[in-house]
Amino acid sequence: MAERIAKLESRTRFEPSEVESRIFERWLDSGLFHPKPDGDPEHNYSIAIPPPNVTGSLHMGHALNGSIQDVLIRYQRMKAAGRRPPSRTKWILGTDHAGIATQAQVEKALLAEGTSRHELGREAFVERVWDWREHYGHTIVEQFKRLGASCDYADERFTLDEGYARAVADVFVRLYEKGWIYRDRYIVNWDPGSRSAISDLEVEERHETDTLYSIRYDLVEDGAADQGASPSGPPGGSVTIATVRPETMLGDTAVAVHPEDERYRDLVGRHAILPLVGRHLPIIADDYVKMDFGTGQLKVTPAHDPNDFEIGARHDLDQVSVIGEDGCMTAEAGERFAGLSVMQAREAVVAALREEGRIVAEEPYEHEVPYSHRSGERIEPLISLQWFMDMTELAKPAIRAVNDGAVRIVPDNHRRVYLDWMENIRPWCISRQLWWGHRIPVYYCETCSHVHVAATEPDACSECGGRLCQEEDVLDTWFSSALWPFATLGWPEQTPELAAFYPTDVLSTARDILFLWVARMIMMGIELTGKVPFSDVYIHSVIQAPDGRRMSKSLGTGIDPIQEIERHGADAVRFGLLAMSSTQDVRYSVEKIQQGQALANKLFNATRFALLRVHASLGGEAAAELEPEPMPRTIEDRWILSRLAQIETDTAARIEDYDFSHAALGLYDFVYGELCDWYLELVKHRLPDLGEAGEQDEESREALAATLLYVLGQTVALAHPVIPFVTEELWSYLDGAGDLLAGRQYPCADASRVDLDAEVEIERAIEAIVAVRGWRDSVGARAGITIPARLCAPCYGSTAPLLARMARLQFLEEDEAEGAQLALASVAIPGGVIEILSAEGLDLAAAERRRTAAAEKLQVEIERIRGKLENPGFVAKAPAAVVDGERERLQRLTAELAAL
RNA sequence: GGGCGCGUAGCUCAGUGGGAGAGCGCUCGCUUCACACGCGAGAGGUCGCAGGUUCGAAACCCGCCGCGCCCACCA
């Protein structure tokens, strides 16, 4: 150990790259991350990681959320180490098969090879994706290790694992049998990019400007009077509809007006002739129609518009599908248009209508257009046979859980959002026309078309013995993700893991998947396990690019966390992200990362300093295990122990409150603002190997060594959840036993060490030192020289020597000062002044200017307080403590001003 | 259209009822024997605007201006 410490001599900087992988290996080997499944979830602590996409790589969101979860996990693991009997801490790890995203990546690779999934066939393609997963699926897990994340790597799950797949099939069957899962022909969000239906939540609206066309449809002559027909129109009159999607008119099956629209009352029941097609369209009344939009006459296309679909259902209209799943016009669109793309068809239809003189008006029109969040292509609403899940019964207990606090959402302004969505929940389209995913466990008989729904494939049709074929579609990836907190632990089997770690404690995520994932986990958790899957949901910030835009690959605004780790160290990145995080979105600031880097380096050097100076006097004992006994005698020892107790209390409270920013920054402030800037500077002279050391006796030196190393050890342990690498590295020097800090007990504040007297005295001394240093600077006193002075303030009994040393003053006693030597200048300090007795090398004019400025400042402050105290309202209504405080302050400042 | 949130130092952000703060940047001084990725000292702010509540408002309330996000079926 002595040699190791000696080697520190030359290491003046903390080099993350030298230690990170070595330390991570030690953690892994220790088994600390892989708890035995004992005990019960009440006492144990667990978090299920939001499973990253198996082919993904670490982005800033992962890095922030990883840091947050690791702080919680490391904090709880260390707390657990102090419990008797001990409890266990598990961070459940795994990846998500991410249906569309993964399939798209592999398809892209196939395209580059000049082939396609269709050419390969389903089986070979799925095989190919598994290969891909073998190849690239571990990247992100390795990247989490770089961050220092203490997940249970020995128990990694994948949403397509055999056991997990069984759970998924099992859930499908259960919910089908409850009648909540059903198959239906319904209008869905068709994503031409992935050639699949997607759910409402995977659709994003983009603001676009299109052309709004007004098109005239003639009416069928029905022999009745020509009311409602324009005089200039054809004999039967006409209607004029408005649309931004003229190509869909080919699928119109009605025209609608509002039932209370006086203008068109007589049109209802008549028919219009669909231009280009000739179909007769009934004119119906439906109160969906807005009377004040356009002409108040609406074309109805049930097969290609969700609203029209509803209208169609109400009026039993035909559904004419003119756009196919390939995004091209179908045969139903007519010979002229069949096979054209939607955009081509739009042009062709407009051209044809124009030729017939039917376009009455064209105007630019701004509106929201649906796009696929998955492929980026424009959504094509169309009618399709899909599997749906009715959510109403699932939602009810999930609403209750949040309302009654069984699930707490932090920060709680997200509660309202969750509840609003849940209260208006709609059926979930759970089938996807993909090959990569959980194939729906439904089997159709080839002979009698009987439908079998079963978790394992039946041999033959139970009705007729015919051959069965499985449903082609797979489930929405989020269907399997919804089971994550318990399926990862082995559910539906009653495994020891499930018994020990479910329900989990907290789920941490960004708000973008609150509905997509979190809400569904709550619903499924309650339905299937009878328990909420976690008691807290923590919604963290979204980190934006430094310029405030989204961080995204396509915009080129992304910042790679791994690159940042390589540049600044994992501790720095963790610290920085946590310090940035907040209850709202924040911009990435590399300065915060650098602040973390500085903190790691500072702690490293402070520890190095203490060890190098103190080691000799301890003979290589387990330094940090020393309690600061004999009890500290000096005021600064009492002060730092008191401050340590405070930061210990604060840090634990902040972590438990999910206030990571203040937890991290509070540690920084303690290490810089108290431990290094003041405590170390105050005690330096008491350490061995210094010229002045002779004046200290052995006992005092040992007391200091014990206190110093104790404070450092506790600080390093306290900071471990935030900056695990540097603290673990330092611990290896501080701890003689060779134990891992990660498995050690978390520091717990010792209330008996809180010493408010010492705090008041040291704080006053610090203020005085800062005042003198400022004064020295302004009068041009050289940094090295010691200035003779007289301390004219009563309250520096035990801190006067500290004040003298830190401010480089020499306080002369009355007799030494050859009688009452005249003050050449004076410096205001709390509770009095310091008189300067030598002007050597000082700018006395500047000193006088400074004195005047200080007096003015005091005067202004005195006036302000006087004004306040002369206000009868203040004295009468403000709390007595506040009034007394102001009175005291007035007294003190007046005395200081008089002395100056 | 509904909801949530934000506007504080040049930049990124804390502060949420009684003396305007941090990090970075900037200025000045220090090769002070832990750290020059360092140390010390400074400059810099009518706390978006306008009202109100209060003895007292950066903070609480109302309105306005500006910005962001989420939800929503007006072609």
Side-chain angles (χ1 to χ4, degrees), chain A residues 13 293 307 602 608 613 877 889:
Chain A
R13 270 190 237 163
F293 189 92
N307 301 309
K602 194 76 176 173
R608 166 175 169 265
R613 287 302 189 77
K877 294 187 180 172
R889 212 161 154 258

PDB file of all heavy atoms in Angstrom, chain A residues 13 293 307 602 608 613 877 889, chain B residues 18-19 34 37 39 55 73 75:
ATOM      1  N   ARG A  13      -3.087  14.283 -12.131  1.00  0.00           N
ATOM      2  CA  ARG A  13      -4.412  14.379 -12.728  1.00  0.00           C
ATOM      3  C   ARG A  13      -5.118  13.048 -12.673  1.00  0.00           C
ATOM      4  O   ARG A  13      -4.466  12.004 -12.779  1.00  0.00           O
ATOM      5  CB  ARG A  13      -4.286  14.721 -14.216  1.00  0.00           C
ATOM      6  CG  ARG A  13      -4.288  16.172 -14.501  1.00  0.00           C
ATOM      7  CD  ARG A  13      -4.401  16.322 -15.982  1.00  0.00           C
ATOM      8  NE  ARG A  13      -3.266  17.091 -16.489  1.00  0.00           N
ATOM      9  CZ  ARG A  13      -2.926  17.105 -17.760  1.00  0.00           C
ATOM     10  NH1 ARG A  13      -3.576  16.367 -18.644  1.00  0.00           N
ATOM     11  NH2 ARG A  13      -1.921  17.838 -18.154  1.00  0.00           N
ATOM     12  N   PHE A 293     -67.642  25.757 -42.467  1.00  0.00           N
ATOM     13  CA  PHE A 293     -66.421  25.457 -43.216  1.00  0.00           C
ATOM     14  C   PHE A 293     -66.768  25.294 -44.688  1.00  0.00           C
ATOM     15  O   PHE A 293     -67.627  24.497 -45.057  1.00  0.00           O
ATOM     16  CB  PHE A 293     -65.753  24.184 -42.699  1.00  0.00           C
ATOM     17  CG  PHE A 293     -64.382  23.974 -43.303  1.00  0.00           C
ATOM     18  CD1 PHE A 293     -63.254  24.453 -42.666  1.00  0.00           C
ATOM     19  CD2 PHE A 293     -64.246  23.344 -44.543  1.00  0.00           C
ATOM     20  CE1 PHE A 293     -61.998  24.273 -43.237  1.00  0.00           C
ATOM     21  CE2 PHE A 293     -62.993  23.188 -45.123  1.00  0.00           C
ATOM     22  CZ  PHE A 293     -61.864  23.656 -44.460  1.00  0.00           C
ATOM     23  N   ASN A 307     -62.791  10.107 -39.999  1.00  0.00           N
ATOM     24  CA  ASN A 307     -64.085  10.725 -39.694  1.00  0.00           C
ATOM     25  C   ASN A 307     -65.158  10.197 -40.617  1.00  0.00           C
ATOM     26  O   ASN A 307     -66.280   9.917 -40.212  1.00  0.00           O
ATOM     27  CB  ASN A 307     -64.002  12.234 -39.855  1.00  0.00           C
ATOM     28  CG  ASN A 307     -62.946  12.798 -38.945  1.00  0.00           C
ATOM     29  OD1 ASN A 307     -62.947  12.515 -37.756  1.00  0.00           O
ATOM     30  ND2 ASN A 307     -62.017  13.540 -39.506  1.00  0.00           N
ATOM     31  N   LYS A 602     -10.524  17.210  -8.779  1.00  0.00           N
ATOM     32  CA  LYS A 602     -10.334  17.877  -7.489  1.00  0.00           C
ATOM     33  C   LYS A 602     -10.305  16.846  -6.356  1.00  0.00           C
ATOM     34  O   LYS A 602      -9.427  16.874  -5.495  1.00  0.00           O
ATOM     35  CB  LYS A 602     -11.482  18.857  -7.274  1.00  0.00           C
ATOM     36  CG  LYS A 602     -11.245  19.849  -6.165  1.00  0.00           C
ATOM     37  CD  LYS A 602     -10.285  20.910  -6.623  1.00  0.00           C
ATOM     38  CE  LYS A 602     -10.091  21.996  -5.585  1.00  0.00           C
ATOM     39  NZ  LYS A 602      -9.030  22.926  -6.003  1.00  0.00           N
ATOM     40  N   ARG A 608      -5.135  12.590  -2.901  1.00  0.00           N
ATOM     41  CA  ARG A 608      -3.715  12.355  -3.136  1.00  0.00           C
ATOM     42  C   ARG A 608      -2.874  13.180  -2.157  1.00  0.00           C
ATOM     43  O   ARG A 608      -1.947  12.675  -1.526  1.00  0.00           O
ATOM     44  CB  ARG A 608      -3.417  12.755  -4.586  1.00  0.00           C
ATOM     45  CG  ARG A 608      -1.984  12.906  -4.955  1.00  0.00           C
ATOM     46  CD  ARG A 608      -1.889  13.173  -6.453  1.00  0.00           C
ATOM     47  NE  ARG A 608      -0.557  13.586  -6.817  1.00  0.00           N
ATOM     48  CZ  ARG A 608      -0.175  14.857  -6.923  1.00  0.00           C
ATOM     49  NH1 ARG A 608      -1.042  15.833  -6.710  1.00  0.00           N
ATOM     50  NH2 ARG A 608       1.064  15.150  -7.247  1.00  0.00           N
ATOM     51  N   ARG A 613       0.706  13.241   2.420  1.00  0.00           N
ATOM     52  CA  ARG A 613       1.165  13.966   3.591  1.00  0.00           C
ATOM     53  C   ARG A 613       1.005  13.165   4.879  1.00  0.00           C
ATOM     54  O   ARG A 613       1.767  13.315   5.811  1.00  0.00           O
ATOM     55  CB  ARG A 613       0.372  15.266   3.740  1.00  0.00           C
ATOM     56  CG  ARG A 613       0.756  16.298   2.734  1.00  0.00           C
ATOM     57  CD  ARG A 613       2.243  16.618   2.829  1.00  0.00           C
ATOM     58  NE  ARG A 613       2.571  17.750   2.012  1.00  0.00           N
ATOM     59  CZ  ARG A 613       2.309  19.003   2.365  1.00  0.00           C
ATOM     60  NH1 ARG A 613       1.735  19.256   3.503  1.00  0.00           N
ATOM     61  NH2 ARG A 613       2.629  19.985   1.566  1.00  0.00           N
ATOM     62  N   LYS A 877     -46.448  43.544  11.542  1.00  0.00           N
ATOM     63  CA  LYS A 877     -46.954  42.348  10.863  1.00  0.00           C
ATOM     64  C   LYS A 877     -45.909  41.294  10.519  1.00  0.00           C
ATOM     65  O   LYS A 877     -46.252  40.135  10.336  1.00  0.00           O
ATOM     66  CB  LYS A 877     -47.683  42.772   9.590  1.00  0.00           C
ATOM     67  CG  LYS A 877     -48.942  43.566   9.892  1.00  0.00           C
ATOM     68  CD  LYS A 877     -49.746  43.834   8.641  1.00  0.00           C
ATOM     69  CE  LYS A 877     -50.998  44.627   8.997  1.00  0.00           C
ATOM     70  NZ  LYS A 877     -51.717  45.081   7.804  1.00  0.00           N
ATOM     71  N   ARG A 889     -28.922  43.092  12.998  1.00  0.00           N
ATOM     72  CA  ARG A 889     -28.047  43.404  11.877  1.00  0.00           C
ATOM     73  C   ARG A 889     -27.735  44.904  11.840  1.00  0.00           C
ATOM     74  O   ARG A 889     -26.608  45.313  11.565  1.00  0.00           O
ATOM     75  CB  ARG A 889     -28.736  42.976  10.585  1.00  0.00           C
ATOM     76  CG  ARG A 889     -27.737  42.551   9.586  1.00  0.00           C
ATOM     77  CD  ARG A 889     -28.268  41.698   8.471  1.00  0.00           C
ATOM     78  NE  ARG A 889     -27.368  41.940   7.385  1.00  0.00           N
ATOM     79  CZ  ARG A 889     -27.630  42.723   6.356  1.00  0.00           C
ATOM     80  NH1 ARG A 889     -28.817  43.258   6.245  1.00  0.00           N
ATOM     81  NH2 ARG A 889     -26.718  42.944   5.444  1.00  0.00           N
TER      82      ARG A 889
ATOM     83  P     G B  18     -38.183  34.812   1.021  1.00  0.00           P
ATOM     84  OP1   G B  18     -37.588  35.392  -0.141  1.00  0.00           O
ATOM     85  OP2   G B  18     -37.778  33.524   1.578  1.00  0.00           O
ATOM     86  O5'   G B  18     -38.158  35.898   2.193  1.00  0.00           O
ATOM     87  C5'   G B  18     -36.894  36.401   2.471  1.00  0.00           C
ATOM     88  C4'   G B  18     -36.921  37.876   2.270  1.00  0.00           C
ATOM     89  O4'   G B  18     -38.096  38.568   2.753  1.00  0.00           O
ATOM     90  C3'   G B  18     -35.720  38.454   3.039  1.00  0.00           C
ATOM     91  O3'   G B  18     -35.102  39.410   2.250  1.00  0.00           O
ATOM     92  C2'   G B  18     -36.399  38.854   4.422  1.00  0.00           C
ATOM     93  O2'   G B  18     -35.817  40.017   4.877  1.00  0.00           O
ATOM     94  C1'   G B  18     -37.840  39.176   4.012  1.00  0.00           C
ATOM     95  N9    G B  18     -38.894  38.716   4.917  1.00  0.00           N
ATOM     96  C8    G B  18     -39.148  37.487   5.458  1.00  0.00           C
ATOM     97  N7    G B  18     -40.241  37.444   6.153  1.00  0.00           N
ATOM     98  C5    G B  18     -40.740  38.744   6.054  1.00  0.00           C
ATOM     99  C6    G B  18     -41.904  39.311   6.602  1.00  0.00           C
ATOM    100  O6    G B  18     -42.770  38.755   7.278  1.00  0.00           O
ATOM    101  N1    G B  18     -42.020  40.652   6.263  1.00  0.00           N
ATOM    102  C2    G B  18     -41.134  41.337   5.500  1.00  0.00           C
ATOM    103  N2    G B  18     -41.422  42.597   5.280  1.00  0.00           N
ATOM    104  N3    G B  18     -40.060  40.818   4.984  1.00  0.00           N
ATOM    105  C4    G B  18     -39.921  39.532   5.300  1.00  0.00           C
ATOM    106  P     G B  19     -34.302  40.255   1.929  1.00  0.00           P
ATOM    107  OP1   G B  19     -33.830  41.021   3.096  1.00  0.00           O
ATOM    108  OP2   G B  19     -34.839  41.002   0.751  1.00  0.00           O
ATOM    109  O5'   G B  19     -33.181  39.221   1.359  1.00  0.00           O
ATOM    110  C5'   G B  19     -32.337  39.632   0.311  1.00  0.00           C
ATOM    111  C4'   G B  19     -31.472  40.771   0.786  1.00  0.00           C
ATOM    112  O4'   G B  19     -31.242  40.523   2.191  1.00  0.00           O
ATOM    113  C3'   G B  19     -30.092  40.854   0.133  1.00  0.00           C
ATOM    114  O3'   G B  19     -30.050  41.925  -0.780  1.00  0.00           O
ATOM    115  C2'   G B  19     -29.133  41.128   1.264  1.00  0.00           C
ATOM    116  O2'   G B  19     -28.763  42.487   1.348  1.00  0.00           O
ATOM    117  C1'   G B  19     -29.917  40.787   2.524  1.00  0.00           C
ATOM    118  N9    G B  19     -29.418  39.630   3.267  1.00  0.00           N
ATOM    119  C8    G B  19     -29.734  38.314   3.110  1.00  0.00           C
ATOM    120  N7    G B  19     -29.149  37.526   3.965  1.00  0.00           N
ATOM    121  C5    G B  19     -28.382  38.385   4.730  1.00  0.00           C
ATOM    122  C6    G B  19     -27.514  38.125   5.813  1.00  0.00           C
ATOM    123  O6    G B  19     -27.250  37.036   6.338  1.00  0.00           O
ATOM    124  N1    G B  19     -26.930  39.284   6.299  1.00  0.00           N
ATOM    125  C2    G B  19     -27.149  40.539   5.804  1.00  0.00           C
ATOM    126  N2    G B  19     -26.483  41.536   6.397  1.00  0.00           N
ATOM    127  N3    G B  19     -27.971  40.805   4.800  1.00  0.00           N
ATOM    128  C4    G B  19     -28.538  39.686   4.323  1.00  0.00           C
ATOM    129  P     A B  34       1.169  21.253  -1.472  1.00  0.00           P
ATOM    130  OP1   A B  34       0.530  22.550  -1.282  1.00  0.00           O
ATOM    131  OP2   A B  34       1.715  20.505  -0.324  1.00  0.00           O
ATOM    132  O5'   A B  34       0.151  20.278  -2.221  1.00  0.00           O
ATOM    133  C5'   A B  34       0.577  18.994  -2.680  1.00  0.00           C
ATOM    134  C4'   A B  34      -0.442  18.443  -3.630  1.00  0.00           C
ATOM    135  O4'   A B  34      -1.689  18.281  -2.925  1.00  0.00           O
ATOM    136  C3'   A B  34      -0.768  19.358  -4.810  1.00  0.00           C
ATOM    137  O3'   A B  34       0.146  19.143  -5.860  1.00  0.00           O
ATOM    138  C2'   A B  34      -2.178  18.890  -5.165  1.00  0.00           C
ATOM    139  O2'   A B  34      -2.147  17.671  -5.881  1.00  0.00           O
ATOM    140  C1'   A B  34      -2.773  18.616  -3.781  1.00  0.00           C
ATOM    141  N9    A B  34      -3.480  19.767  -3.204  1.00  0.00           N
ATOM    142  C8    A B  34      -2.962  20.820  -2.528  1.00  0.00           C
ATOM    143  N7    A B  34      -3.863  21.672  -2.101  1.00  0.00           N
ATOM    144  C5    A B  34      -5.061  21.129  -2.512  1.00  0.00           C
ATOM    145  C6    A B  34      -6.392  21.543  -2.372  1.00  0.00           C
ATOM    146  N6    A B  34      -6.763  22.656  -1.727  1.00  0.00           N
ATOM    147  N1    A B  34      -7.350  20.761  -2.915  1.00  0.00           N
ATOM    148  C2    A B  34      -6.995  19.638  -3.554  1.00  0.00           C
ATOM    149  N3    A B  34      -5.766  19.141  -3.751  1.00  0.00           N
ATOM    150  C4    A B  34      -4.846  19.933  -3.200  1.00  0.00           C
ATOM    151  P     C B  37      -3.906  23.066 -17.384  1.00  0.00           P
ATOM    152  OP1   C B  37      -3.199  21.814 -17.173  1.00  0.00           O
ATOM    153  OP2   C B  37      -4.070  23.635 -18.717  1.00  0.00           O
ATOM    154  O5'   C B  37      -5.331  22.951 -16.652  1.00  0.00           O
ATOM    155  C5'   C B  37      -6.444  23.793 -16.979  1.00  0.00           C
ATOM    156  C4'   C B  37      -7.680  23.084 -16.485  1.00  0.00           C
ATOM    157  O4'   C B  37      -7.839  21.908 -17.288  1.00  0.00           O
ATOM    158  C3'   C B  37      -7.482  22.602 -15.052  1.00  0.00           C
ATOM    159  O3'   C B  37      -7.923  23.562 -14.095  1.00  0.00           O
ATOM    160  C2'   C B  37      -8.135  21.208 -15.017  1.00  0.00           C
ATOM    161  O2'   C B  37      -9.430  21.220 -14.478  1.00  0.00           O
ATOM    162  C1'   C B  37      -8.192  20.809 -16.490  1.00  0.00           C
ATOM    163  N1    C B  37      -7.348  19.656 -16.847  1.00  0.00           N
ATOM    164  C2    C B  37      -7.959  18.406 -16.902  1.00  0.00           C
ATOM    165  O2    C B  37      -9.152  18.316 -16.605  1.00  0.00           O
ATOM    166  N3    C B  37      -7.232  17.336 -17.274  1.00  0.00           N
ATOM    167  C4    C B  37      -5.949  17.483 -17.592  1.00  0.00           C
ATOM    168  N4    C B  37      -5.295  16.397 -17.961  1.00  0.00           N
ATOM    169  C5    C B  37      -5.309  18.741 -17.548  1.00  0.00           C
ATOM    170  C6    C B  37      -6.043  19.800 -17.169  1.00  0.00           C
ATOM    171  P     C B  39      -9.025  25.699  -8.123  1.00  0.00           P
ATOM    172  OP1   C B  39      -9.848  25.010  -7.117  1.00  0.00           O
ATOM    173  OP2   C B  39      -9.656  26.370  -9.266  1.00  0.00           O
ATOM    174  O5'   C B  39      -8.100  26.762  -7.402  1.00  0.00           O
ATOM    175  C5'   C B  39      -7.362  26.379  -6.260  1.00  0.00           C
ATOM    176  C4'   C B  39      -6.549  27.542  -5.786  1.00  0.00           C
ATOM    177  O4'   C B  39      -5.556  27.888  -6.792  1.00  0.00           O
ATOM    178  C3'   C B  39      -7.312  28.850  -5.605  1.00  0.00           C
ATOM    179  O3'   C B  39      -8.059  28.877  -4.415  1.00  0.00           O
ATOM    180  C2'   C B  39      -6.168  29.844  -5.617  1.00  0.00           C
ATOM    181  O2'   C B  39      -5.431  29.788  -4.419  1.00  0.00           O
ATOM    182  C1'   C B  39      -5.314  29.278  -6.748  1.00  0.00           C
ATOM    183  N1    C B  39      -5.683  29.874  -8.053  1.00  0.00           N
ATOM    184  C2    C B  39      -5.185  31.149  -8.353  1.00  0.00           C
ATOM    185  O2    C B  39      -4.469  31.718  -7.523  1.00  0.00           O
ATOM    186  N3    C B  39      -5.512  31.730  -9.536  1.00  0.00           N
ATOM    187  C4    C B  39      -6.285  31.081 -10.391  1.00  0.00           C
ATOM    188  N4    C B  39      -6.587  31.686 -11.546  1.00  0.00           N
ATOM    189  C5    C B  39      -6.817  29.778 -10.116  1.00  0.00           C
ATOM    190  C6    C B  39      -6.488  29.215  -8.940  1.00  0.00           C
ATOM    191  P     C B  55     -50.580  44.378   4.620  1.00  0.00           P
ATOM    192  OP1   C B  55     -50.892  44.105   6.032  1.00  0.00           O
ATOM    193  OP2   C B  55     -51.480  45.194   3.775  1.00  0.00           O
ATOM    194  O5'   C B  55     -49.127  45.038   4.553  1.00  0.00           O
ATOM    195  C5'   C B  55     -48.954  46.423   4.819  1.00  0.00           C
ATOM    196  C4'   C B  55     -47.486  46.719   4.985  1.00  0.00           C
ATOM    197  O4'   C B  55     -47.000  46.037   6.168  1.00  0.00           O
ATOM    198  C3'   C B  55     -46.594  46.187   3.872  1.00  0.00           C
ATOM    199  O3'   C B  55     -46.558  47.078   2.782  1.00  0.00           O
ATOM    200  C2'   C B  55     -45.247  46.082   4.567  1.00  0.00           C
ATOM    201  O2'   C B  55     -44.618  47.332   4.698  1.00  0.00           O
ATOM    202  C1'   C B  55     -45.671  45.599   5.960  1.00  0.00           C
ATOM    203  N1    C B  55     -45.628  44.134   6.080  1.00  0.00           N
ATOM    204  C2    C B  55     -44.379  43.492   6.178  1.00  0.00           C
ATOM    205  O2    C B  55     -43.367  44.180   6.121  1.00  0.00           O
ATOM    206  N3    C B  55     -44.326  42.158   6.307  1.00  0.00           N
ATOM    207  C4    C B  55     -45.457  41.452   6.363  1.00  0.00           C
ATOM    208  N4    C B  55     -45.361  40.136   6.497  1.00  0.00           N
ATOM    209  C5    C B  55     -46.734  42.065   6.265  1.00  0.00           C
ATOM    210  C6    C B  55     -46.785  43.406   6.136  1.00  0.00           C
ATOM    211  P     C B  73     -57.950  12.759 -32.794  1.00  0.00           P
ATOM    212  OP1   C B  73     -58.827  11.602 -32.872  1.00  0.00           O
ATOM    213  OP2   C B  73     -56.480  12.592 -32.897  1.00  0.00           O
ATOM    214  O5'   C B  73     -58.380  13.859 -33.830  1.00  0.00           O
ATOM    215  C5'   C B  73     -57.924  13.786 -35.169  1.00  0.00           C
ATOM    216  C4'   C B  73     -59.076  14.009 -36.102  1.00  0.00           C
ATOM    217  O4'   C B  73     -60.041  12.938 -35.952  1.00  0.00           O
ATOM    218  C3'   C B  73     -59.889  15.261 -35.804  1.00  0.00           C
ATOM    219  O3'   C B  73     -59.268  16.397 -36.381  1.00  0.00           O
ATOM    220  C2'   C B  73     -61.229  14.929 -36.439  1.00  0.00           C
ATOM    221  O2'   C B  73     -61.162  15.066 -37.832  1.00  0.00           O
ATOM    222  C1'   C B  73     -61.364  13.442 -36.104  1.00  0.00           C
ATOM    223  N1    C B  73     -62.125  13.172 -34.865  1.00  0.00           N
ATOM    224  C2    C B  73     -63.469  13.572 -34.771  1.00  0.00           C
ATOM    225  O2    C B  73     -63.975  14.180 -35.714  1.00  0.00           O
ATOM    226  N3    C B  73     -64.165  13.289 -33.648  1.00  0.00           N
ATOM    227  C4    C B  73     -63.578  12.635 -32.649  1.00  0.00           C
ATOM    228  N4    C B  73     -64.315  12.382 -31.572  1.00  0.00           N
ATOM    229  C5    C B  73     -62.226  12.215 -32.717  1.00  0.00           C
ATOM    230  C6    C B  73     -61.549  12.489 -33.831  1.00  0.00           C
ATOM    231  P     A B  75     -58.688  19.602 -41.304  1.00  0.00           P
ATOM    232  OP1   A B  75     -57.559  18.827 -40.861  1.00  0.00           O
ATOM    233  OP2   A B  75     -58.806  21.002 -40.948  1.00  0.00           O
ATOM    234  O5'   A B  75     -58.751  19.447 -42.879  1.00  0.00           O
ATOM    235  C5'   A B  75     -59.917  19.823 -43.549  1.00  0.00           C
ATOM    236  C4'   A B  75     -60.577  18.578 -44.049  1.00  0.00           C
ATOM    237  O4'   A B  75     -61.967  18.716 -43.733  1.00  0.00           O
ATOM    238  C3'   A B  75     -60.421  18.403 -45.556  1.00  0.00           C
ATOM    239  O3'   A B  75     -60.024  17.056 -45.830  1.00  0.00           O
ATOM    240  C2'   A B  75     -61.799  18.731 -46.111  1.00  0.00           C
ATOM    241  O2'   A B  75     -62.160  17.817 -47.118  1.00  0.00           O
ATOM    242  C1'   A B  75     -62.734  18.573 -44.927  1.00  0.00           C
ATOM    243  N9    A B  75     -63.794  19.574 -44.883  1.00  0.00           N
ATOM    244  C8    A B  75     -63.937  20.673 -45.665  1.00  0.00           C
ATOM    245  N7    A B  75     -65.010  21.383 -45.405  1.00  0.00           N
ATOM    246  C5    A B  75     -65.616  20.692 -44.366  1.00  0.00           C
ATOM    247  C6    A B  75     -66.798  20.930 -43.641  1.00  0.00           C
ATOM    248  N6    A B  75     -67.576  21.955 -43.847  1.00  0.00           N
ATOM    249  N1    A B  75     -67.116  20.063 -42.673  1.00  0.00           N
ATOM    250  C2    A B  75     -66.306  19.026 -42.458  1.00  0.00           C
ATOM    251  N3    A B  75     -65.173  18.698 -43.079  1.00  0.00           N
ATOM    252  C4    A B  75     -64.876  19.577 -44.039  1.00  0.00           C
TER     253        A B  75
END
